[in-house]
Amino acid sequence: MTCWFSPSRARPGVLLFALCCAWGLQAGAANLSPAQDIKASPSPSSKAAVLPKVEQFTLANGMTLIVKPDRRAPTAVHMLWVRVGAMDEVDGTTGVAHVLEHMLFKGTATLKPGEFSRIVAALGGRENAFTSQDYTGYYQQIPSGRLEDVMKIEADRFANNQWSDEEFKKELEVVKEERRMRTEDNPRSLLHEALNAQVFLSSPYRRPVVGWMSDLQAMTPDDAREFYRRWYTPANAAVVVAGDVDVAQVKALAERYYGSISQRALPDRKPRTEGEQQGPRRFDFKAPAEQAYVALAYRVPGLKRLEAMQPDDQDALALTVLSAVLDGYNGARLDRALTQGADRLADSAGAGNGLWGRGPQLFMMTGVPAPGKTTAQLELALREQVAKVAQDGVTEAELQRVKTQWVASEVYKLDSVFNQARELGNYWVQGLPLDAGSRLIAALREVSAAQVQAVAAKYFGDEQLTVAHLVPQPIDKTKPRAKPAAGARH
């Protein structure tokens, strides 16, 4: 019940190989030699071949069930994904998706507040939840023999979540303190929050996942209850189970505990398309901080399909490769050019591309200027590195290195049952096929140096750019730092 994810909160370069920005998981092969050829790397399909295939079902009430057996250890991961997040909120109630995530731990007609977590702990498991712009999710990792126990209580709270107004008011204070601790006490988080609001004028991605503080202060218990009634319906949810399980047994359990949940009509999602940007946007952001900071955001296309890919899909993939060339491994271009040497420009520099999501995507470059250097100098240097790719292209060694890392990371992910379930849920949310990981690898293999050079020339003009400079202000040393509120699960 404790996590909320926003692209603005993560270091861009770390997000590339996870293929899911919100999770911020770094690739596991960051130090492979560029001389290694991609064909020499273990193929995801060769390792996946020892695992039974993924199976997907639709229950009678419209709920999706996805099962992936993996019998290498006697454990299972059970996840419930709801295709609703901060982008589905309306002005005045920002943060309600995340607040509701907290409230699902606060009881049903048969479970008291906090009892869900106590049950999972008694079963020898661990559990938590997460909210992003695109989705809300809940998970338990337990001994596989206790799968039925968690399916029963998860289905109960999905269908029968209820709590008192007083319980809501207490938990809302926890969320407010979470915002203070993770955003308002972090100048870069505040800057990125303001940056999103500058980049996106009509897209709901302009709003923070945790919500604006004014909206949290005005939020009522009925705001959360109404959001729950609107979106927590079987046709808008998927159960994902991975691990030491039998598909037929999981299906029978899902039909027993989830299949009987009543259907409710799913609201129409009204399109909120972001219009064309008509020129550069930039602002200075003043906040108490020790170091200056600069962030550049370029509006770029996202990956929407992996079959019959369109030019925008090809560009999204090439942009992700470009970001990896710039900042995908130790000693990548930004590191070599900007953070090394006696006259270095930056203490740190990064780049990352939002590969996919339900809303519009950004290519980000960020940096902290070195002592004696300015954010203006660093901004120019970051842009020059992309301009060099546009003019001179990338080497085959660079291209091979980032491809090798990506393939290796896909293989290593298979060792985690949790990651297997996480990816399947995320693919479902995005409307992608369940084998999107292997399809993505196949598409990656086809990205050429010419494509990378082409996107570097196409998407980095002023018309698509928004820039934010953090201007450090004196820090009040006497001001106490925010502490986690009672009940916070971070």
Side-chain angles (χ1 to χ4, degrees), residues 1 9 21-22 46 57 78 191 205 210 225 236 242 376 393 470 476:
M1 74 190 235
R9 295 179 44 250
C21 291
S46 66
F57 310 92
H78 172 261
L191 177 144
Y205 271 21
V210 74
R225 291 179 182 125
N236 200 40
L470 175 60
D476 184 355

Side-chain angles (χ1 to χ4, degrees), residues 20 47 65 89 141 199 210 227 323 330 346-347 402 428 479:
C20 174
K47 189 167 185 177
L65 172 66
E89 298 164 349
Q141 186 159 11
V199 173
V210 74
F227 197 81
S323 64
N330 293 335
D347 281 348
V402 298
W428 173 81
K479 181 181 178 182

Side-chain angles (χ1 to χ4, degrees), residues 265-423:
L266 187 62
D268 292 332
R269 300 183 193 266
K270 295 185 181 296
R272 286 174 283 182
T273 305
E274 187 69 27
E276 291 293 326
Q277 187 168 328
Q278 301 302 320
R281 302 167 187 167
R282 58 175 59 242
F283 64 97
D284 289 342
F285 189 86
K286 296 181 179 180
E290 294 180 350
Q291 290 181 297
Y293 177 76
V294 62
L296 290 73
Y298 293 89
R299 287 172 51 180
V300 295
L303 182 68
K304 299 300 183 185
R305 60 192 65 79
L306 284 164
E307 293 180 295
M309 295 177 71
Q310 300 301 304
D312 277 359
D313 301 306
Q314 300 284 357
D315 284 354
L317 201 59
L319 284 161
T320 301
V321 174
L322 170 63
S323 64
V325 168
L326 295 172
D327 183 37
Y329 53 91
N330 293 335
R333 286 197 178 205
L334 295 185
D335 188 26
R336 294 198 312 269
L338 305 182
T339 70
Q340 298 178 11
D343 195 36
R344 60 191 174 85
L345 275 171
D347 281 348
S348 63
N353 183 53
L355 179 59
W356 58 38
R358 289 171 54 206
Q361 299 303 306
L362 298 176
F363 188 107
M364 296 285 297
M365 290 192 289
T366 61
V368 175
K373 307 299 181 181
T374 68
T375 52
Q377 290 174 303
L378 183 52
E379 176 191 337
L380 180 61
L382 288 166
R383 299 187 69 177
E384 285 176 346
Q385 290 303 309
V386 179
K388 286 181 179 180
V389 176
Q391 179 177 333
D392 302 326
V394 298
T395 67
E396 283 300 321
E398 288 175 304
L399 200 61
Q400 285 295 96
R401 179 164 190 163
V402 298
K403 288 183 179 182
T404 299
Q405 287 179 306
W406 202 340
V407 172
S409 72
E410 289 296 301
V411 173
Y412 297 154
K413 280 188 298 188
L414 295 178
D415 287 333
S416 167
V417 174
F418 180 87
N419 281 345
Q420 292 177 46
R422 172 189 60 80
E423 287 207 328

